[in-house]
Amino acid sequence: MKQEKLHILLHLNLFGGAAESEKFYEWNEAVDSFFFSLQIHLTSGGVHPLPCALKNGNSTSLETVDESKSCKLEEKAVQILNEVLVKAISTSHVCTGGADRSSDVRQQYLSNVICALRNVYRLLSLLHDYERANAPIQIAEKLKTRDIFSFLTHIVVENSALAVNASMALFQGMRSDPVAMNMFIDELKGIPLLAKAFVITGCVALQVSLVKHFHQLLGYTISKRMLTIFGDLNNAVSGALANDFTDFVRALVATMAWAVRSEPRFPGNDNDHRADLVEEILQLLLAIQPMYTGRYAAQVKSSTSQEDKEETMTQLGIILCDVLSVPNADSRAYRCKLAVVMLLMDMPNEYSQYLWVNKGVGQLLSILSLQLSEIVIEKRKNSSISALPILVVLNKLTQANPAIKKFVEDEVFPQVENPSDSSSKIKMNMKPIDAPWGSLRWKLIELMTSNDSNLKRCASELLWTICGSSDRFVKRTGYGNAVHMLGIKGLVQLPKGV
């Protein structure tokens, strides 16, 4: 199949010209199409095409290759893009509005240039992710300067028309690049600027991008650097709002509350970004929970009192129930609900009461049924990983709250008579006494003999908890399914290595 080449036009003479703007626009469209096709390819189970660095004479060409497409980034083109950005910075071609047609043309041109910069950063990140870190160094040095990052940050804070694209470009520029990130944090003092943009903007798409920034800046593993940045974010939000009682987490929770409860009804139409915002905030809260109320909280500089933190966590628990109550029909809402489940894995025990009072447990069981159907009925690839969090959460809830345990038991095993509690002999029915195909209990019992050891253990633990006794457990699940769990609990002796 003929390969499609994606390239930047190498002859740009005028800054702000409509023709040159169109050339950048066409290239951006081609690169966006490439990444969209790549995402579809990977989602459908395809293997990622390994990026490669190609040398063409004295110039450098970076190219990502698969069977049908390639994304080409010429060194000369990057030089032109750099020159355009330098001219934009030096002549302050950042338009803040107005009806002048030439200003509109220049702003559109600058928008296309910023998008091109974002896409160049994306290509460099792609190469970096697949251990081609040496290839893009020369280009990265030209396009990841302090002036360019400062220019993008200024647009994010001051210019609403271009702020989303500038924020996305800045995000891609720091991705997988600790040197660029340290420059942004230490030299540009960028954290207070992003925090200010987050609390004052009315643009949901910009808020989504900024939350991604915060997550990237904090990282994904607890470190001394992460604790410092989190403390800086607390101070920056309080300073931006001139309110010592509002820290970073409270601002996130308040933003999520607005997104879920505002009109039109959540998640809105296809152009509504509130679901994206809620999902990103939930993922960020999962990362920072250990630093807010968990084991690392004492190491974070914060003026927030313990009482204020408890109030924030109470509000969060109620909002999580609001998210769970949204119907599953919209895939965006369902992704938010899965993000809630992930956050609940590390929840305080008090959250069990919020979920019970606000009818969140029934919604969690609905998610469980859908997730298990993907595994045992639809047999989707990699679906077992996504089912583990909901199994863990429900097991934790049933252990923490007797009312929830009774409710879950009745939902999983309706109309099943309990064996006599006085019987001490384990019943030897090899199959479950009542588990019709497609029922929730059938799906759970199917997992008890799964080849995935984590899935088998989590499903068995949940069933063990809600059954409450070995006799009831065996009768409901069948001895053949139950024997492995009985061995783990020390009630039967298993062969070594099982």
mmCIF file of all heavy atoms in Angstrom, residues 164-199:
data_model
loop_
_atom_site.group_PDB
_atom_site.id
_atom_site.type_symbol
_atom_site.label_atom_id
_atom_site.label_comp_id
_atom_site.label_asym_id
_atom_site.label_seq_id
_atom_site.Cartn_x
_atom_site.Cartn_y
_atom_site.Cartn_z
ATOM 1 N N VAL A 164 -6.298 27.099 24.837
ATOM 2 C CA VAL A 164 -6.397 25.639 24.842
ATOM 3 C C VAL A 164 -5.267 25.021 24.024
ATOM 4 O O VAL A 164 -4.574 24.107 24.483
ATOM 5 C CB VAL A 164 -7.764 25.185 24.301
ATOM 6 C CG1 VAL A 164 -7.806 23.659 24.206
ATOM 7 C CG2 VAL A 164 -8.890 25.675 25.194
ATOM 8 N N ASN A 165 -5.055 25.543 22.805
ATOM 9 C CA ASN A 165 -3.979 25.003 21.967
ATOM 10 C C ASN A 165 -2.611 25.242 22.590
ATOM 11 O O ASN A 165 -1.728 24.378 22.529
ATOM 12 C CB ASN A 165 -4.034 25.637 20.569
ATOM 13 C CG ASN A 165 -5.176 25.104 19.738
ATOM 14 O OD1 ASN A 165 -5.637 23.981 19.941
ATOM 15 N ND2 ASN A 165 -5.654 25.901 18.797
ATOM 16 N N ALA A 166 -2.430 26.416 23.194
ATOM 17 C CA ALA A 166 -1.143 26.703 23.843
ATOM 18 C C ALA A 166 -0.907 25.778 25.023
ATOM 19 O O ALA A 166 0.210 25.285 25.239
ATOM 20 C CB ALA A 166 -1.106 28.165 24.294
ATOM 21 N N SER A 167 -1.955 25.513 25.799
ATOM 22 C CA SER A 167 -1.832 24.604 26.935
ATOM 23 C C SER A 167 -1.496 23.192 26.480
ATOM 24 O O SER A 167 -0.646 22.521 27.073
ATOM 25 C CB SER A 167 -3.131 24.604 27.742
ATOM 26 O OG SER A 167 -3.051 23.700 28.820
ATOM 27 N N MET A 168 -2.142 22.749 25.417
ATOM 28 C CA MET A 168 -1.873 21.409 24.900
ATOM 29 C C MET A 168 -0.448 21.303 24.358
ATOM 30 O O MET A 168 0.224 20.287 24.534
ATOM 31 C CB MET A 168 -2.887 21.064 23.814
ATOM 32 C CG MET A 168 -4.311 20.901 24.333
ATOM 33 S SD MET A 168 -5.547 20.775 23.019
ATOM 34 C CE MET A 168 -5.089 19.209 22.280
ATOM 35 N N ALA A 169 0.024 22.363 23.712
ATOM 36 C CA ALA A 169 1.402 22.370 23.215
ATOM 37 C C ALA A 169 2.394 22.317 24.378
ATOM 38 O O ALA A 169 3.386 21.573 24.345
ATOM 39 C CB ALA A 169 1.644 23.614 22.366
ATOM 40 N N LEU A 170 2.116 23.100 25.408
ATOM 41 C CA LEU A 170 2.985 23.108 26.585
ATOM 42 C C LEU A 170 3.006 21.745 27.256
ATOM 43 O O LEU A 170 4.066 21.264 27.691
ATOM 44 C CB LEU A 170 2.488 24.177 27.557
ATOM 45 C CG LEU A 170 3.395 24.599 28.711
ATOM 46 C CD1 LEU A 170 4.705 25.163 28.185
ATOM 47 C CD2 LEU A 170 2.687 25.633 29.571
ATOM 48 N N PHE A 171 1.837 21.100 27.329
ATOM 49 C CA PHE A 171 1.756 19.764 27.921
ATOM 50 C C PHE A 171 2.619 18.773 27.147
ATOM 51 O O PHE A 171 3.396 18.010 27.737
ATOM 52 C CB PHE A 171 0.295 19.297 27.916
ATOM 53 C CG PHE A 171 0.098 17.882 28.393
ATOM 54 C CD1 PHE A 171 -0.004 17.591 29.744
ATOM 55 C CD2 PHE A 171 0.014 16.824 27.487
ATOM 56 C CE1 PHE A 171 -0.176 16.280 30.178
ATOM 57 C CE2 PHE A 171 -0.161 15.521 27.908
ATOM 58 C CZ PHE A 171 -0.254 15.255 29.263
ATOM 59 N N GLN A 172 2.486 18.779 25.829
ATOM 60 C CA GLN A 172 3.285 17.860 25.009
ATOM 61 C C GLN A 172 4.773 18.187 25.081
ATOM 62 O O GLN A 172 5.617 17.299 25.018
ATOM 63 C CB GLN A 172 2.805 17.906 23.556
ATOM 64 C CG GLN A 172 1.403 17.369 23.321
ATOM 65 C CD GLN A 172 1.300 15.869 23.552
ATOM 66 O OE1 GLN A 172 2.312 15.160 23.564
ATOM 67 N NE2 GLN A 172 0.086 15.378 23.752
ATOM 68 N N GLY A 173 5.096 19.473 25.231
ATOM 69 C CA GLY A 173 6.497 19.861 25.304
ATOM 70 C C GLY A 173 7.202 19.342 26.542
ATOM 71 O O GLY A 173 8.408 19.062 26.521
ATOM 72 N N MET A 174 6.453 19.198 27.644
ATOM 73 C CA MET A 174 7.051 18.698 28.888
ATOM 74 C C MET A 174 6.930 17.185 29.041
ATOM 75 O O MET A 174 7.554 16.598 29.929
ATOM 76 C CB MET A 174 6.400 19.382 30.087
ATOM 77 C CG MET A 174 6.801 20.832 30.245
ATOM 78 S SD MET A 174 6.213 21.556 31.806
ATOM 79 C CE MET A 174 4.495 21.848 31.426
ATOM 80 N N ARG A 175 6.145 16.556 28.197
ATOM 81 C CA ARG A 175 5.902 15.125 28.334
ATOM 82 C C ARG A 175 7.192 14.342 28.110
ATOM 83 O O ARG A 175 7.905 14.539 27.142
ATOM 84 C CB ARG A 175 4.838 14.681 27.321
ATOM 85 C CG ARG A 175 4.443 13.236 27.436
ATOM 86 C CD ARG A 175 3.223 12.938 26.574
ATOM 87 N NE ARG A 175 2.851 11.535 26.660
ATOM 88 C CZ ARG A 175 3.238 10.617 25.790
ATOM 89 N NH1 ARG A 175 3.997 10.962 24.759
ATOM 90 N NH2 ARG A 175 2.882 9.364 25.941
ATOM 91 N N SER A 176 7.478 13.444 29.061
ATOM 92 C CA SER A 176 8.665 12.575 28.987
ATOM 93 C C SER A 176 9.963 13.369 28.908
ATOM 94 O O SER A 176 10.956 12.883 28.379
ATOM 95 C CB SER A 176 8.572 11.626 27.776
ATOM 96 O OG SER A 176 7.394 10.867 27.815
ATOM 97 N N ASP A 177 9.954 14.594 29.415
ATOM 98 C CA ASP A 177 11.145 15.434 29.341
ATOM 99 C C ASP A 177 11.353 16.140 30.684
ATOM 100 O O ASP A 177 10.884 17.268 30.891
ATOM 101 C CB ASP A 177 10.993 16.457 28.215
ATOM 102 C CG ASP A 177 12.296 17.186 27.911
ATOM 103 O OD1 ASP A 177 13.188 17.203 28.784
ATOM 104 O OD2 ASP A 177 12.418 17.738 26.803
ATOM 105 N N PRO A 178 12.052 15.510 31.614
ATOM 106 C CA PRO A 178 12.256 16.117 32.939
ATOM 107 C C PRO A 178 13.028 17.428 32.889
ATOM 108 O O PRO A 178 12.829 18.298 33.736
ATOM 109 C CB PRO A 178 13.019 15.033 33.713
ATOM 110 C CG PRO A 178 13.587 14.123 32.672
ATOM 111 C CD PRO A 178 12.657 14.166 31.513
ATOM 112 N N VAL A 179 13.913 17.590 31.891
ATOM 113 C CA VAL A 179 14.670 18.843 31.783
ATOM 114 C C VAL A 179 13.729 19.998 31.465
ATOM 115 O O VAL A 179 13.797 21.071 32.082
ATOM 116 C CB VAL A 179 15.758 18.722 30.688
ATOM 117 C CG1 VAL A 179 16.447 20.068 30.479
ATOM 118 C CG2 VAL A 179 16.778 17.656 31.080
ATOM 119 N N ALA A 180 12.838 19.773 30.500
ATOM 120 C CA ALA A 180 11.864 20.807 30.142
ATOM 121 C C ALA A 180 10.926 21.094 31.308
ATOM 122 O O ALA A 180 10.573 22.255 31.572
ATOM 123 C CB ALA A 180 11.072 20.371 28.911
ATOM 124 N N MET A 181 10.530 20.056 32.024
ATOM 125 C CA MET A 181 9.614 20.236 33.149
ATOM 126 C C MET A 181 10.282 21.027 34.270
ATOM 127 O O MET A 181 9.668 21.927 34.856
ATOM 128 C CB MET A 181 9.146 18.874 33.663
ATOM 129 C CG MET A 181 8.028 18.954 34.681
ATOM 130 S SD MET A 181 7.437 17.330 35.216
ATOM 131 C CE MET A 181 6.739 16.709 33.697
ATOM 132 N N ASN A 182 11.527 20.716 34.565
ATOM 133 C CA ASN A 182 12.244 21.449 35.612
ATOM 134 C C ASN A 182 12.433 22.913 35.229
ATOM 135 O O ASN A 182 12.360 23.803 36.088
ATOM 136 C CB ASN A 182 13.591 20.793 35.884
ATOM 137 C CG ASN A 182 13.449 19.469 36.608
ATOM 138 O OD1 ASN A 182 12.456 19.216 37.277
ATOM 139 N ND2 ASN A 182 14.443 18.600 36.463
ATOM 140 N N MET A 183 12.679 23.172 33.951
ATOM 141 C CA MET A 183 12.806 24.546 33.484
ATOM 142 C C MET A 183 11.496 25.299 33.706
ATOM 143 O O MET A 183 11.492 26.434 34.186
ATOM 144 C CB MET A 183 13.170 24.575 32.003
ATOM 145 C CG MET A 183 13.220 25.981 31.415
ATOM 146 S SD MET A 183 13.508 25.977 29.626
ATOM 147 C CE MET A 183 11.974 25.272 29.036
ATOM 148 N N PHE A 184 10.383 24.649 33.407
ATOM 149 C CA PHE A 184 9.075 25.276 33.565
ATOM 150 C C PHE A 184 8.788 25.567 35.037
ATOM 151 O O PHE A 184 8.302 26.647 35.382
ATOM 152 C CB PHE A 184 7.990 24.364 32.988
ATOM 153 C CG PHE A 184 6.596 24.878 33.180
ATOM 154 C CD1 PHE A 184 6.094 25.882 32.368
ATOM 155 C CD2 PHE A 184 5.784 24.365 34.185
ATOM 156 C CE1 PHE A 184 4.807 26.366 32.550
ATOM 157 C CE2 PHE A 184 4.501 24.839 34.372
ATOM 158 C CZ PHE A 184 4.011 25.846 33.550
ATOM 159 N N ILE A 185 9.115 24.624 35.911
ATOM 160 C CA ILE A 185 8.801 24.775 37.339
ATOM 161 C C ILE A 185 9.742 25.763 38.019
ATOM 162 O O ILE A 185 9.307 26.677 38.720
ATOM 163 C CB ILE A 185 8.872 23.408 38.045
ATOM 164 C CG1 ILE A 185 7.779 22.479 37.517
ATOM 165 C CG2 ILE A 185 8.730 23.584 39.557
ATOM 166 C CD1 ILE A 185 7.899 21.054 38.030
ATOM 167 N N ASP A 186 11.052 25.591 37.791
ATOM 168 C CA ASP A 186 12.043 26.342 38.563
ATOM 169 C C ASP A 186 12.377 27.701 37.951
ATOM 170 O O ASP A 186 12.489 28.701 38.668
ATOM 171 C CB ASP A 186 13.320 25.511 38.703
ATOM 172 C CG ASP A 186 13.079 24.204 39.453
ATOM 173 O OD1 ASP A 186 12.201 24.204 40.335
ATOM 174 O OD2 ASP A 186 13.740 23.193 39.144
ATOM 175 N N GLU A 187 12.552 27.754 36.626
ATOM 176 C CA GLU A 187 12.967 29.004 35.989
ATOM 177 C C GLU A 187 11.775 29.900 35.653
ATOM 178 O O GLU A 187 11.818 31.117 35.880
ATOM 179 C CB GLU A 187 13.768 28.710 34.715
ATOM 180 C CG GLU A 187 15.074 27.978 34.966
ATOM 181 C CD GLU A 187 15.856 27.752 33.681
ATOM 182 O OE1 GLU A 187 15.735 28.586 32.759
ATOM 183 O OE2 GLU A 187 16.575 26.740 33.597
ATOM 184 N N LEU A 188 10.723 29.316 35.120
ATOM 185 C CA LEU A 188 9.565 30.114 34.723
ATOM 186 C C LEU A 188 8.556 30.292 35.858
ATOM 187 O O LEU A 188 7.616 31.068 35.710
ATOM 188 C CB LEU A 188 8.873 29.464 33.526
ATOM 189 C CG LEU A 188 9.673 29.401 32.230
ATOM 190 C CD1 LEU A 188 8.870 28.719 31.144
ATOM 191 C CD2 LEU A 188 10.075 30.799 31.783
ATOM 192 N N LYS A 189 8.740 29.543 36.968
ATOM 193 C CA LYS A 189 7.776 29.589 38.078
ATOM 194 C C LYS A 189 6.356 29.357 37.545
ATOM 195 O O LYS A 189 5.411 30.116 37.800
ATOM 196 C CB LYS A 189 7.846 30.931 38.810
ATOM 197 C CG LYS A 189 9.239 31.358 39.227
ATOM 198 C CD LYS A 189 9.871 30.347 40.175
ATOM 199 C CE LYS A 189 11.276 30.783 40.613
ATOM 200 N NZ LYS A 189 11.957 29.776 41.462
ATOM 201 N N GLY A 190 6.225 28.274 36.792
ATOM 202 C CA GLY A 190 5.006 28.039 36.037
ATOM 203 C C GLY A 190 3.818 27.540 36.833
ATOM 204 O O GLY A 190 2.666 27.699 36.414
ATOM 205 N N ILE A 191 4.061 26.903 38.006
ATOM 206 C CA ILE A 191 2.948 26.310 38.761
ATOM 207 C C ILE A 191 1.926 27.360 39.200
ATOM 208 O O ILE A 191 0.719 27.178 38.989
ATOM 209 C CB ILE A 191 3.484 25.511 39.962
ATOM 210 C CG1 ILE A 191 4.165 24.224 39.464
ATOM 211 C CG2 ILE A 191 2.345 25.168 40.929
ATOM 212 C CD1 ILE A 191 4.760 23.377 40.550
ATOM 213 N N PRO A 192 2.333 28.499 39.787
ATOM 214 C CA PRO A 192 1.326 29.505 40.153
ATOM 215 C C PRO A 192 0.566 30.045 38.948
ATOM 216 O O PRO A 192 -0.622 30.389 39.061
ATOM 217 C CB PRO A 192 2.159 30.611 40.828
ATOM 218 C CG PRO A 192 3.405 29.932 41.287
ATOM 219 C CD PRO A 192 3.678 28.881 40.269
ATOM 220 N N LEU A 193 1.214 30.113 37.796
ATOM 221 C CA LEU A 193 0.556 30.630 36.602
ATOM 222 C C LEU A 193 -0.536 29.675 36.117
ATOM 223 O O LEU A 193 -1.641 30.098 35.758
ATOM 224 C CB LEU A 193 1.588 30.870 35.493
ATOM 225 C CG LEU A 193 2.664 31.912 35.813
ATOM 226 C CD1 LEU A 193 3.689 31.988 34.685
ATOM 227 C CD2 LEU A 193 2.029 33.279 36.046
ATOM 228 N N LEU A 194 -0.226 28.380 36.111
ATOM 229 C CA LEU A 194 -1.237 27.399 35.703
ATOM 230 C C LEU A 194 -2.378 27.341 36.718
ATOM 231 O O LEU A 194 -3.548 27.190 36.339
ATOM 232 C CB LEU A 194 -0.609 26.017 35.543
ATOM 233 C CG LEU A 194 0.414 25.844 34.417
ATOM 234 C CD1 LEU A 194 0.835 24.376 34.317
ATOM 235 C CD2 LEU A 194 -0.138 26.319 33.085
ATOM 236 N N ALA A 195 -2.051 27.442 37.998
ATOM 237 C CA ALA A 195 -3.088 27.433 39.033
ATOM 238 C C ALA A 195 -4.014 28.634 38.871
ATOM 239 O O ALA A 195 -5.238 28.516 38.994
ATOM 240 C CB ALA A 195 -2.447 27.441 40.423
ATOM 241 N N LYS A 196 -3.439 29.787 38.561
ATOM 242 C CA LYS A 196 -4.243 30.984 38.340
ATOM 243 C C LYS A 196 -5.171 30.784 37.146
ATOM 244 O O LYS A 196 -6.365 31.123 37.196
ATOM 245 C CB LYS A 196 -3.331 32.191 38.116
ATOM 246 C CG LYS A 196 -4.095 33.469 37.787
ATOM 247 C CD LYS A 196 -3.130 34.614 37.479
ATOM 248 C CE LYS A 196 -3.905 35.876 37.074
ATOM 249 N NZ LYS A 196 -2.982 36.994 36.738
ATOM 250 N N ALA A 197 -4.631 30.228 36.058
ATOM 251 C CA ALA A 197 -5.446 29.990 34.864
ATOM 252 C C ALA A 197 -6.593 29.038 35.171
ATOM 253 O O ALA A 197 -7.712 29.214 34.685
ATOM 254 C CB ALA A 197 -4.576 29.436 33.743
ATOM 255 N N PHE A 198 -6.336 28.047 36.009
ATOM 256 C CA PHE A 198 -7.359 27.047 36.323
ATOM 257 C C PHE A 198 -8.522 27.649 37.091
ATOM 258 O O PHE A 198 -9.682 27.333 36.829
ATOM 259 C CB PHE A 198 -6.737 25.901 37.131
ATOM 260 C CG PHE A 198 -7.714 24.826 37.514
ATOM 261 C CD1 PHE A 198 -8.186 23.926 36.577
ATOM 262 C CD2 PHE A 198 -8.179 24.707 38.821
ATOM 263 C CE1 PHE A 198 -9.095 22.935 36.915
ATOM 264 C CE2 PHE A 198 -9.089 23.723 39.179
ATOM 265 C CZ PHE A 198 -9.544 22.832 38.216
ATOM 266 N N VAL A 199 -8.230 28.505 38.046
ATOM 267 C CA VAL A 199 -9.302 29.023 38.908
ATOM 268 C C VAL A 199 -10.058 30.183 38.276
ATOM 269 O O VAL A 199 -11.180 30.496 38.699
ATOM 270 C CB VAL A 199 -8.765 29.443 40.293
ATOM 271 C CG1 VAL A 199 -8.163 28.258 41.009
ATOM 272 C CG2 VAL A 199 -7.758 30.586 40.182
#
